[in-house]
Amino acid sequence: MSGSIVSRGIAIGRVMRIEPYKPVGLIKTEDTEGAKSLLLKSMTQTSEELNALVDKTRENVGDHEAAIFEAHLMILSDPTLLPQIESIIEHDSLSAASAVESVLSSMEDMFKNLDSDYMKERALDIYDIKKRWVKNILSPTDNNISLSSGVILVAEELTPSDTLELDMSKVEGLLMEKGGLTSHTAILAQSMDIPAMVGCGSLENLTQNTMLILDARQGEIILDFDDKILSDYQKLKEEEAKEKEALKRFVDVKGQTKDGKRVEIASNIAGIDDIKGVHENGGEGVGLFRTEFVYMNRSSAPTEEEQFKIYKKIVEGLKGKPIIFRTMDIGGDKEVPYLNMPAEPNPFLGFRAVRYCLQDKNLFKAQIRAILRASAYGSIKIMFPMIGSIRQFLDAKALVETCKNELKSEGIKINDVPLGIMIEIPSAAILSEEFAKYVDFFSIGTNDLTQYTLAVDRQNESVSELYDYFDPAVLSLIQHVIKVANKTKTWVGMCGSAAGDPLMIPLLVSWGIDEISMASSQILKAKQIVSEMTLKPIEMEQIMACYDAKAVRALFT
């Protein structure tokens, strides 16, 4: 058995199955007024529970995760929802539970049938609300599931509220038959540092209290094991814990090789809650702030003032550490319903990121002005995603200049803000020497660069084995960009997944990269690798002679 890893680590424990929601079906009632009264009462209870979850999640996990349940509240408070359910009760004489299930199941199916993987994942939000609301109609005083210590939760698909209402301090690991890498439960598992795998397929043989080993490093679920295997994994788990503890000695160490090559080791963040991880892990700054998350889980776009307050708080929270703001990368796998972007057959190749921003200049200006205003409080750079031509960069730069002039005329203080681009489209990598004449810096985004170079959808499981940034073609482009940057004295960093890969780091440093930016949890290991290495030439001829990514990896293993 195997699945997709969403949070790395080893878990050993007994299975605790969370059974899926059981549909109530079509239950008729003659007391439609009583059904409507029960509907309102249960809706109020559901709203109160969600508000309590928002507060609990914000306190224990963070604002970004709390926004999940704020989105649930927005769905619940949709003014069209209650009349729609009441209408079914009246016209079809359905019970309150059946009517709620009917309406929300239709909404759930609608999201499941959308092309976007991100929007498909949002069907789980509707399912979560449905399950809670129906439970409050049928059994409003039911207690939550209680857990014993040392369990591995197994479910068809855990909802976000399942995860947060359980006592996760007793949970060793998570396994889901369904779910994707962008699901809310995946995000929460990462936040809580619980080993987790999703998309595992049927787990029917994992019966209650079955003892198992979850290896969420290799992507394996181990059932049939003897005392020797168990002992080996217990030792690995202990070693993993000791290694994490030992790495803390690098918190205050700057990234530098034995022979003096300086490499900034920074964090990727999505919001204010991630700042704590930057400091705790010794991040030297933020190499990627994914600003699109400010736009998500909302019913309308954030105003300039709202964005300014968020950005200012983040910049001040970094206490002088530098930060690179990536302008909103909306589209692809990150959709924002209120922007009414057109459905596309190939969204990753379509109307996304800077392509969209340059069309909706009012939306773009609000973000740029907010970032520029926040520059007065710290060290900020701005980079534009999905730049494929010099003209696109110049158009984006012109808009920044317009915003600067407006703010200065309004008497608002701003600092100098360098402008750079994500190198994630092969055309930008190929033309990097030309781009160097205009930009202040490069940041290589390996996630998209890999899928565009290899023509492999990084979310398509059928071709997942082809998606590998160690492919000779991808490495050739990366090395070319770094070589150009060094030649033209253009600062160059990397903020894609490859930047935190222990196998990739020595390669990047030897080629002359200035910065690598990754998940905060990867920083201490990266610092260890850099501090223990010396620069040595790596010949591209050796890499290009390899016939695939697997062969390249073997060179450096």
Side-chain angles (χ1 to χ4, degrees):
M1 290 179 287
S2 63
S4 298
I5 298 167
V6 294
S7 184
R8 295 176 64 83
I10 295 171
I12 303 171
R14 295 192 176 277
V15 170
M16 173 71 186
R17 292 195 67 92
I18 307 296
E19 295 305 325
Y21 170 79
K22 294 179 180 178
V24 296
L26 296 177
I27 301 173
K28 295 283 187 176
T29 182
E30 294 181 1
D31 183 10
T32 56
E33 290 305 313
K36 287 196 288 184
S37 175
L38 181 56
L39 178 71
L40 284 171
K41 184 177 179 181
S42 60
M43 187 180 192
T44 300
Q45 181 180 347
T46 303
S47 179
E48 289 172 351
E49 288 178 2
L50 287 171
N51 274 301
L53 260 179
V54 169
D55 294 339
K56 176 185 175 183
T57 309
R58 182 169 287 122
E59 181 181 349
N60 297 334
V61 185
D63 288 338
H64 181 57
E65 289 77 12
I68 295 169
F69 302 108
E70 289 175 335
H72 288 193
L73 279 166
M74 286 192 338
I75 294 168
L76 192 66
S77 61
D78 184 334
T80 67
L81 183 60
L82 185 62
Q84 192 177 352
I85 298 171
E86 287 179 328
S87 175
I88 289 179
I89 292 174
E90 289 177 356
H91 293 102
D92 297 340
S93 299
L94 288 184
S95 70
S98 292
V100 167
E101 182 176 86
S102 176
V103 171
L104 292 183
S105 291
S106 295
M107 291 174 63
E108 187 183 351
D109 289 341
M110 180 189 71
F111 276 92
K112 283 180 180 176
N113 291 325
L114 294 174
D115 289 335
S116 164
D117 287 332
Y118 176 81
M119 296 306 288
K120 285 178 181 177
E121 295 287 2
R122 303 294 72 79
L124 188 59
D125 294 327
I126 307 297
Y127 170 80
D128 202 350
I129 298 166
K130 177 179 72 176
K131 188 174 82 165
R132 178 182 296 278
W133 198 347
V134 170
K135 187 270 290 183
N136 286 337
I137 293 171
L138 300 177
S139 307
T141 58
D142 265 7
N143 293 321
N144 294 327
I145 298 169
S146 60
L147 298 177
S148 55
S149 295
V151 298
I152 295 176
L153 293 184
V154 176
E156 180 181 293
E157 193 166 27
L158 286 177
T159 67
S161 60
D162 283 335
T163 313
L164 285 173
E165 287 182 315
L166 296 167
D167 182 356
M168 299 307 287
S169 66
K170 296 178 179 179
V171 175
E172 290 290 317
L174 292 172
L175 279 172
M176 289 192 286
E177 294 180 344
K178 298 180 180 179
L181 300 177
T182 59
S183 68
H184 287 320
T185 306
I187 295 167
L188 292 168
Q190 292 161 2
S191 300
M192 296 176 178
D193 198 23
I194 297 171
M197 287 167 55
V198 300
C200 299
S202 176
L203 298 173
E204 290 179 358
N205 59 330
L206 300 186
T207 55
Q208 206 80 303
N209 291 318
T210 301
M211 191 73 179
L212 67 80
I213 297 169
L214 166 58
D215 186 345
R217 303 167 314 155
Q218 304 298 323
E220 296 178 353
I221 302 165
I222 304 166
L223 262 178
D224 299 319
F225 54 87
D226 55 24
D227 290 343
K228 170 77 167 55
I229 292 173
L230 177 60
S231 176
D232 288 345
Y233 268 99
Q234 285 172 334
K235 287 176 183 175
L236 284 172
K237 190 170 165 56
E238 289 169 7
E239 288 170 8
E240 194 176 70
K242 287 178 182 177
E243 184 181 353
K244 284 182 180 178
E245 188 63 31
L247 286 174
K248 290 180 180 178
R249 71 185 188 274
F250 291 101
V251 169
D252 297 321
V253 174
K254 291 188 180 298
Q256 185 167 302
T257 65
K258 283 183 177 180
D259 47 352
K261 163 64 177 172
R262 181 77 172 90
V263 181
E264 185 180 341
I265 302 176
S267 296
N268 297 337
I269 70 168
I272 186 67
D273 307 304
D274 297 331
I275 299 300
K276 181 181 178 184
V278 178
H279 292 304
E280 286 182 348
N281 292 282
E284 298 182 56
V286 170
L288 170 64
F289 172 26
R290 300 181 176 96
T291 63
E292 57 270 14
F293 284 94
V294 175
Y295 292 77
M296 297 165 73
N297 291 323
R298 299 174 56 97
S299 58
S300 61
T303 65
E304 177 188 326
E305 192 62 29
E306 285 177 304
Q307 290 183 72
F308 166 65
K309 288 176 180 177
I310 294 168
Y311 300 157
K312 177 175 178 283
K313 190 175 181 181
I314 289 171
V315 171
E316 290 180 328
L318 286 171
K319 300 176 182 177
K321 293 181 178 182
I323 177 171
I324 299 176
F325 280 69
R326 179 177 72 185
T327 58
M328 60 171 178
D329 186 4
I330 298 298
D333 61 340
K334 297 183 287 288
E335 294 192 16
V336 177
Y338 60 77
L339 293 180
N340 297 314
M341 297 175 74
E344 297 179 286
N346 295 300
F348 276 108
L349 300 177
F351 196 39
R352 61 173 287 206
V354 78
R355 298 171 178 178
Y356 178 83
C357 290
L358 289 173
Q359 293 283 335
D360 191 343
K361 290 188 178 177
N362 287 333
L363 188 75
F364 199 19
K365 280 186 67 176
Q367 178 173 47
I368 296 299
R369 283 175 57 95
I371 296 172
L372 291 173
R373 288 169 62 188
S375 72
Y377 301 88
S379 175
I380 287 176
K381 296 178 183 177
I382 295 175
M383 69 176 171
F384 305 112
M386 283 293 289
I387 292 287
S389 71
I390 291 170
R391 170 49 56 198
Q392 282 179 322
F393 172 74
L394 293 177
D395 287 347
K397 181 178 180 180
L399 188 136
V400 173
E401 291 301 318
T402 297
C403 292
K404 282 182 179 178
N405 292 333
E406 287 177 356
L407 290 169
K408 287 175 182 176
S409 67
E410 293 165 20
I412 296 174
K413 181 186 174 184
I414 59 174
N415 286 337
D416 181 50
V417 178
L419 302 180
I421 62 170
M422 292 275 286
I423 299 280
E424 53 190 342
I425 297 179
S427 61
I430 293 166
L431 292 176
S432 53
E433 190 157 2
E434 287 302 307
F435 271 106
K437 297 174 184 177
Y438 302 94
V439 307
D440 295 313
F441 66 93
F442 296 137
S443 184
I444 304 169
T446 53
N447 298 353
D448 276 330
L449 183 63
T450 301
Q451 78 167 343
Y452 293 142
T453 303
L454 302 178
V456 175
D457 181 349
R458 59 189 169 100
Q459 295 190 348
N460 187 330
E461 293 179 5
S462 300
V463 292
S464 59
E465 75 279 1
L466 301 176
Y467 178 86
D468 194 328
Y469 43 71
F470 270 96
D471 186 277
V474 179
L475 291 181
S476 178
L477 287 177
I478 291 171
Q479 197 230 26
H480 172 69
V481 173
I482 296 173
K483 191 174 180 180
V484 164
N486 291 335
K487 174 185 172 183
T488 60
K489 301 191 184 318
T490 305
W491 186 94
V492 59
M494 177 182 285
C495 58
S497 297
D501 188 325
L503 209 58
M504 179 69 83
I505 290 170
L507 206 57
L508 298 171
V509 175
S510 294
W511 283 342
I513 204 158
D514 295 305
E515 176 242 38
I516 47 177
S517 187
M518 61 204 69
S520 292
S521 60
Q522 298 174 310
I523 286 175
L524 295 176
K525 183 65 179 176
K527 285 188 172 185
Q528 179 191 34
I529 292 168
V530 172
S531 67
E532 293 176 355
M533 70 172 284
T534 53
L535 296 179
K536 57 181 180 180
I538 296 170
E539 300 299 330
M540 277 305 295
E541 288 79 4
Q542 192 179 11
I543 291 173
M544 297 304 287
C546 294
Y547 48 84
D548 64 6
K550 186 177 180 181
V552 177
R553 285 179 178 274
L555 285 176
F556 304 107
T557 303

